[in-house]
Amino acid sequence: MAQNLKDKEAYQRLNYLYQAAHCVLSENPENVELARFYCFTQKTIARRLVLRQDPSVKRTLCKKCCSLLIPGVTATTRQRSKFRKTRFTVVRCLSCGQSKALLNNPDYCLWADRPEAQLAQQKQPGDKPLNNTAPQLLRGWCEERSGAAMAGVEPTPTLREE
Ligand SMILES: [Zn+2]
C-alpha cells in the first residue's frame, strides 16, 4: 500500500518536520521558536495538500500558535473533572495560553476507526476496493480529497478529530 500512496514524499516531509521539532526541543528547551517554525511548516504543507494528520500528532500541536506541546517543557497538563464524573486532561500551551481538553475515556473510539466511517467511505463513487484497516482507507480518502482540491473543488471535511 505504501508504494501506491500518492503523496508519499509529502508525508515523509511531514514526518521529518515533526521529528525535527522534537529533536531541537530535546537538545535545548529554549528552541521553542525553531520547533514552532517546523510545526508551522508541517501544518501549512498538510493544509495545502489536504493531507489528514493522525490525531496523535494533532494533539501535540497548539491550534493557535503551532507550538509543539511537550508536557513540562512547552505545555502544562492538568486533570479536570466535570460533574464529578467526566474527567479531562487539559493541555495548555505555555506560549500563547491556548488549551485543549481531552476526555479521559480509554474506550473512546475515534470516528475514523468506527465502522460507520468505513461504510461512508464505501458509498463514494469510483472508490477503490475496501480494505480492512482504517489507516489505509484514510489514505485513499486523502488522495481523493487532494484530487478534489486540485480540481478547484472545496473539500468538505467529514471526518472529525475528536
Ligand atoms: Zn500556543
Side-chain angles (χ1 to χ4, degrees), residues 4-52:
N4 298 336
L5 189 58
K6 195 176 163 190
D7 295 304
K8 193 184 169 190
E9 280 175 20
Y11 273 113
Q12 281 173 342
R13 194 166 171 217
L14 294 182
N15 185 3
Y16 183 86
L17 287 167
Y18 188 61
Q19 289 189 53
H22 277 275
C23 189
V24 293
L25 264 186
S26 64
E27 269 182 14
N28 185 358
E30 304 283 306
N31 283 337
V32 179
E33 284 299 324
L34 185 58
R36 182 183 292 135
F37 171 73
Y38 289 145
C39 291
F40 178 75
T41 313
Q42 181 194 348
K43 197 180 171 184
T44 311
I45 295 168
R47 192 172 51 203
R48 245 188 226 168
L49 298 174
V50 201
L51 303 177
R52 192 170 181 275

Side-chain angles (χ1 to χ4, degrees), residues 63 88 105 113 134 142 153 157 159:
K63 267 188 173 179
F88 297 89
N105 181 5
D113 297 333
C142 292
V153 182
L159 299 173

Side-chain angles (χ1 to χ4, degrees), residues 36 61-69 74 92-99:
R36 182 183 292 135
L61 300 177
C62 176
K63 267 188 173 179
K64 197 172 174 186
C65 71
C66 297
S67 273
L68 182 67
L69 301 175
T74 55
R92 191 164 184 270
C93 174
L94 288 176
S95 302
C96 70
Q98 175 82 13
S99 60

